[in-house]
Amino acid sequence: SGPTLSTGFQNLIGKSALVLEPVGPRDGRVRIGADEWSARTHGTETIDAGTEARVVSIDGATAVVTALNQES
């Protein structure tokens, strides 16, 4: 079945992320701690640069985030 990714990044779930470039359903950039990640939102949400977001999951090398003020 091929190589599998390390699950070491699962500890990032629930962490806050600073949006560096606007994040939408397909792409964007965030900073989680000292690291920059490619990111996307779940669904149709778009998050503006400079906004705090929360990591809800890690999809390969992409962080899936939601805006802090829009959590349900």
Side-chain angles (χ1 to χ4, degrees), residues 2 11 20 23 26-27 32-34 37 42 44 58 62-63 65:
N11 63 346
L20 301 174
V23 177
R26 291 196 226 28
D27 57 15
I32 306 167
W37 282 74
H42 185 71
T44 60
I58 301 293
T62 301
V65 299

Side-chain angles (χ1 to χ4, degrees), residues 26-43:
R26 291 196 226 28
D27 57 15
R29 299 290 294 177
V30 298
R31 182 178 311 277
I32 306 167
D35 299 317
E36 212 173 289
W37 282 74
S38 58
R40 66 176 175 84
T41 57
H42 185 71

Side-chain angles (χ1 to χ4, degrees), residues 4-62:
T4 58
L5 290 173
S6 166
T7 58
F9 295 124
Q10 296 304 312
N11 63 346
L12 296 175
I13 295 170
K15 300 271 189 199
S16 63
L18 176 64
V19 177
L20 301 174
E21 296 175 13
V23 177
R26 291 196 226 28
D27 57 15
R29 299 290 294 177
V30 298
R31 182 178 311 277
I32 306 167
D35 299 317
E36 212 173 289
W37 282 74
S38 58
R40 66 176 175 84
T41 57
H42 185 71
T44 60
E45 180 182 18
T46 300
I47 308 171
D48 293 329
T51 303
E52 285 285 323
R54 182 165 317 280
V55 179
V56 293
S57 65
I58 301 293
D59 180 13
T62 301

